[in-house]
PDB file of all heavy atoms in Angstrom:
ATOM      1  N   LYS A  11      90.793 -21.446   8.221  1.00 76.00           N
ATOM      2  CA  LYS A  11      91.977 -20.672   8.584  1.00 76.00           C
ATOM      3  C   LYS A  11      91.954 -20.308  10.071  1.00 76.00           C
ATOM      4  O   LYS A  11      92.960 -20.354  10.768  1.00 76.00           O
ATOM      5  CB  LYS A  11      92.064 -19.412   7.728  1.00 76.00           C
ATOM      6  CG  LYS A  11      92.480 -19.671   6.293  1.00 76.00           C
ATOM      7  CD  LYS A  11      92.577 -18.356   5.519  1.00 76.00           C
ATOM      8  CE  LYS A  11      93.017 -18.599   4.077  1.00 76.00           C
ATOM      9  NZ  LYS A  11      93.103 -17.345   3.302  1.00 76.00           N
ATOM     10  N   GLU A  12      90.789 -19.931  10.545  1.00 75.00           N
ATOM     11  CA  GLU A  12      90.683 -19.589  11.965  1.00 75.00           C
ATOM     12  C   GLU A  12      90.863 -20.810  12.857  1.00 75.00           C
ATOM     13  O   GLU A  12      91.377 -20.715  13.975  1.00 75.00           O
ATOM     14  CB  GLU A  12      89.317 -18.942  12.225  1.00 75.00           C
ATOM     15  CG  GLU A  12      89.212 -17.543  11.640  1.00 75.00           C
ATOM     16  CD  GLU A  12      87.831 -16.951  11.826  1.00 75.00           C
ATOM     17  OE1 GLU A  12      86.936 -17.684  12.283  1.00 75.00           O
ATOM     18  OE2 GLU A  12      87.675 -15.755  11.500  1.00 75.00           O
ATOM     19  N   GLN A  13      90.483 -21.998  12.354  1.00 73.00           N
ATOM     20  CA  GLN A  13      90.724 -23.226  13.116  1.00 73.00           C
ATOM     21  C   GLN A  13      92.221 -23.507  13.247  1.00 73.00           C
ATOM     22  O   GLN A  13      92.703 -23.901  14.327  1.00 73.00           O
ATOM     23  CB  GLN A  13      90.016 -24.389  12.422  1.00 73.00           C
ATOM     24  CG  GLN A  13      88.503 -24.386  12.614  1.00 73.00           C
ATOM     25  CD  GLN A  13      87.846 -25.535  11.867  1.00 73.00           C
ATOM     26  OE1 GLN A  13      88.549 -26.293  11.167  1.00 73.00           O
ATOM     27  NE2 GLN A  13      86.532 -25.651  12.025  1.00 73.00           N
ATOM     28  N   GLU A  14      92.943 -23.289  12.156  1.00 75.00           N
ATOM     29  CA  GLU A  14      94.394 -23.499  12.216  1.00 75.00           C
ATOM     30  C   GLU A  14      95.048 -22.527  13.186  1.00 75.00           C
ATOM     31  O   GLU A  14      95.922 -22.910  13.981  1.00 75.00           O
ATOM     32  CB  GLU A  14      94.996 -23.328  10.819  1.00 75.00           C
ATOM     33  CG  GLU A  14      94.585 -24.418   9.845  1.00 75.00           C
ATOM     34  CD  GLU A  14      95.124 -24.164   8.436  1.00 75.00           C
ATOM     35  OE1 GLU A  14      95.772 -23.093   8.260  1.00 75.00           O
ATOM     36  OE2 GLU A  14      94.867 -25.003   7.558  1.00 75.00           O
ATOM     37  N   ALA A  15      94.602 -21.275  13.153  1.00 77.00           N
ATOM     38  CA  ALA A  15      95.175 -20.294  14.079  1.00 77.00           C
ATOM     39  C   ALA A  15      94.834 -20.645  15.517  1.00 77.00           C
ATOM     40  O   ALA A  15      95.670 -20.491  16.433  1.00 77.00           O
ATOM     41  CB  ALA A  15      94.648 -18.896  13.750  1.00 77.00           C
ATOM     42  N   ALA A  16      93.630 -21.166  15.749  1.00 72.00           N
ATOM     43  CA  ALA A  16      93.232 -21.549  17.109  1.00 72.00           C
ATOM     44  C   ALA A  16      94.055 -22.743  17.593  1.00 72.00           C
ATOM     45  O   ALA A  16      94.432 -22.825  18.779  1.00 72.00           O
ATOM     46  CB  ALA A  16      91.737 -21.868  17.143  1.00 72.00           C
ATOM     47  N   GLN A  17      94.326 -23.701  16.711  1.00 72.00           N
ATOM     48  CA  GLN A  17      95.132 -24.848  17.108  1.00 72.00           C
ATOM     49  C   GLN A  17      96.560 -24.427  17.459  1.00 72.00           C
ATOM     50  O   GLN A  17      97.138 -24.904  18.442  1.00 72.00           O
ATOM     51  CB  GLN A  17      95.157 -25.872  15.967  1.00 72.00           C
ATOM     52  CG  GLN A  17      93.843 -26.635  15.810  1.00 72.00           C
ATOM     53  CD  GLN A  17      93.896 -27.616  14.656  1.00 72.00           C
ATOM     54  OE1 GLN A  17      94.900 -27.671  13.931  1.00 72.00           O
ATOM     55  NE2 GLN A  17      92.804 -28.369  14.482  1.00 72.00           N
ATOM     56  N   GLN A  18      97.133 -23.516  16.658  1.00 73.00           N
ATOM     57  CA  GLN A  18      98.468 -23.035  16.969  1.00 73.00           C
ATOM     58  C   GLN A  18      98.497 -22.311  18.300  1.00 73.00           C
ATOM     59  O   GLN A  18      99.415 -22.477  19.106  1.00 73.00           O
ATOM     60  CB  GLN A  18      98.960 -22.107  15.851  1.00 73.00           C
ATOM     61  CG  GLN A  18      99.201 -22.822  14.528  1.00 73.00           C
ATOM     62  CD  GLN A  18      99.603 -21.865  13.423  1.00 73.00           C
ATOM     63  OE1 GLN A  18      99.731 -20.654  13.671  1.00 73.00           O
ATOM     64  NE2 GLN A  18      99.833 -22.393  12.213  1.00 73.00           N
ATOM     65  N   GLN A  19      97.485 -21.509  18.560  1.00 71.00           N
ATOM     66  CA  GLN A  19      97.410 -20.790  19.832  1.00 71.00           C
ATOM     67  C   GLN A  19      97.266 -21.752  21.003  1.00 71.00           C
ATOM     68  O   GLN A  19      97.859 -21.556  22.080  1.00 71.00           O
ATOM     69  CB  GLN A  19      96.225 -19.799  19.815  1.00 71.00           C
ATOM     70  CG  GLN A  19      96.157 -18.921  21.053  1.00 71.00           C
ATOM     71  CD  GLN A  19      94.991 -17.941  20.958  1.00 71.00           C
ATOM     72  OE1 GLN A  19      94.250 -17.985  19.982  1.00 71.00           O
ATOM     73  NE2 GLN A  19      94.878 -17.077  21.945  1.00 71.00           N
ATOM     74  N   GLN A  20      96.544 -22.855  20.804  1.00 67.00           N
ATOM     75  CA  GLN A  20      96.334 -23.828  21.866  1.00 67.00           C
ATOM     76  C   GLN A  20      97.644 -24.565  22.172  1.00 67.00           C
ATOM     77  O   GLN A  20      97.948 -24.848  23.329  1.00 67.00           O
ATOM     78  CB  GLN A  20      95.243 -24.815  21.441  1.00 67.00           C
ATOM     79  CG  GLN A  20      94.841 -25.797  22.541  1.00 67.00           C
ATOM     80  CD  GLN A  20      93.713 -26.695  22.104  1.00 67.00           C
ATOM     81  OE1 GLN A  20      93.328 -26.664  20.945  1.00 67.00           O
ATOM     82  NE2 GLN A  20      93.192 -27.479  23.041  1.00 67.00           N
ATOM     83  N   GLU A  21      98.408 -24.877  21.117  1.00 65.00           N
ATOM     84  CA  GLU A  21      99.690 -25.539  21.328  1.00 65.00           C
ATOM     85  C   GLU A  21     100.647 -24.646  22.103  1.00 65.00           C
ATOM     86  O   GLU A  21     101.400 -25.105  22.974  1.00 65.00           O
ATOM     87  CB  GLU A  21     100.293 -25.930  19.985  1.00 65.00           C
ATOM     88  CG  GLU A  21      99.541 -27.059  19.288  1.00 65.00           C
ATOM     89  CD  GLU A  21     100.099 -27.340  17.906  1.00 65.00           C
ATOM     90  OE1 GLU A  21     101.033 -26.607  17.505  1.00 65.00           O
ATOM     91  OE2 GLU A  21      99.576 -28.271  17.224  1.00 65.00           O
ATOM     92  N   GLN A  22     100.618 -23.331  21.794  1.00 67.00           N
ATOM     93  CA  GLN A  22     101.471 -22.404  22.536  1.00 67.00           C
ATOM     94  C   GLN A  22     101.077 -22.328  24.005  1.00 67.00           C
ATOM     95  O   GLN A  22     101.914 -22.260  24.885  1.00 67.00           O
ATOM     96  CB  GLN A  22     101.401 -21.013  21.903  1.00 67.00           C
ATOM     97  CG  GLN A  22     102.054 -20.941  20.522  1.00 67.00           C
ATOM     98  CD  GLN A  22     101.905 -19.579  19.898  1.00 67.00           C
ATOM     99  OE1 GLN A  22     101.315 -18.684  20.521  1.00 67.00           O
ATOM    100  NE2 GLN A  22     102.444 -19.412  18.683  1.00 67.00           N
ATOM    101  N   LEU A  23      99.810 -22.372  24.269  1.00 61.00           N
ATOM    102  CA  LEU A  23      99.343 -22.329  25.660  1.00 61.00           C
ATOM    103  C   LEU A  23      99.746 -23.588  26.422  1.00 61.00           C
ATOM    104  O   LEU A  23     100.102 -23.544  27.604  1.00 61.00           O
ATOM    105  CB  LEU A  23      97.822 -22.146  25.702  1.00 61.00           C
ATOM    106  CG  LEU A  23      97.295 -20.777  25.247  1.00 61.00           C
ATOM    107  CD1 LEU A  23      95.769 -20.795  25.188  1.00 61.00           C
ATOM    108  CD2 LEU A  23      97.780 -19.684  26.200  1.00 61.00           C
ATOM    109  N   LEU A  24      99.654 -24.731  25.732  1.00 58.00           N
ATOM    110  CA  LEU A  24     100.061 -25.983  26.389  1.00 58.00           C
ATOM    111  C   LEU A  24     101.551 -25.991  26.679  1.00 58.00           C
ATOM    112  O   LEU A  24     102.003 -26.484  27.728  1.00 58.00           O
ATOM    113  CB  LEU A  24      99.683 -27.177  25.514  1.00 58.00           C
ATOM    114  CG  LEU A  24      98.168 -27.460  25.390  1.00 58.00           C
ATOM    115  CD1 LEU A  24      97.932 -28.574  24.368  1.00 58.00           C
ATOM    116  CD2 LEU A  24      97.608 -27.873  26.752  1.00 58.00           C
ATOM    117  N   ASN A  25     102.337 -25.481  25.737  1.00 60.00           N
ATOM    118  CA  ASN A  25     103.775 -25.456  25.948  1.00 60.00           C
ATOM    119  C   ASN A  25     104.178 -24.511  27.065  1.00 60.00           C
ATOM    120  O   ASN A  25     105.160 -24.726  27.764  1.00 60.00           O
ATOM    121  CB  ASN A  25     104.492 -25.063  24.648  1.00 60.00           C
ATOM    122  CG  ASN A  25     104.310 -26.143  23.565  1.00 60.00           C
ATOM    123  OD1 ASN A  25     104.184 -27.342  23.890  1.00 60.00           O
ATOM    124  ND2 ASN A  25     104.314 -25.709  22.288  1.00 60.00           N
ATOM    125  N   SER A  26     103.506 -23.427  27.235  1.00 58.00           N
ATOM    126  CA  SER A  26     103.828 -22.455  28.281  1.00 58.00           C
ATOM    127  C   SER A  26     103.345 -22.901  29.655  1.00 58.00           C
ATOM    128  O   SER A  26     103.607 -22.238  30.648  1.00 58.00           O
ATOM    129  CB  SER A  26     103.240 -21.094  27.951  1.00 58.00           C
ATOM    130  OG  SER A  26     101.821 -21.207  27.878  1.00 58.00           O
ATOM    131  N   GLY A  27     102.607 -23.995  29.765  1.00 52.00           N
ATOM    132  CA  GLY A  27     102.169 -24.533  31.069  1.00 52.00           C
ATOM    133  C   GLY A  27     100.847 -23.983  31.550  1.00 52.00           C
ATOM    134  O   GLY A  27     100.478 -24.230  32.706  1.00 52.00           O
ATOM    135  N   ASP A  28     100.175 -23.229  30.735  1.00 47.00           N
ATOM    136  CA  ASP A  28      98.869 -22.696  31.165  1.00 47.00           C
ATOM    137  C   ASP A  28      97.819 -23.803  31.108  1.00 47.00           C
ATOM    138  O   ASP A  28      97.964 -24.774  30.364  1.00 47.00           O
ATOM    139  CB  ASP A  28      98.451 -21.539  30.268  1.00 47.00           C
ATOM    140  CG  ASP A  28      99.403 -20.348  30.423  1.00 47.00           C
ATOM    141  OD1 ASP A  28     100.000 -20.215  31.513  1.00 47.00           O
ATOM    142  OD2 ASP A  28      99.517 -19.581  29.437  1.00 47.00           O
TER     143      ASP A  28
END
Side-chain angles (χ1 to χ4, degrees):
K11 286 181 179 179
E12 289 176 353
Q13 285 178 357
E14 292 176 357
Q17 286 179 356
Q18 293 176 2
Q19 185 178 2
Q20 186 177 7
E21 290 175 357
Q22 291 177 1
L23 291 173
L24 291 174
N25 294 329
S26 61
D28 295 333

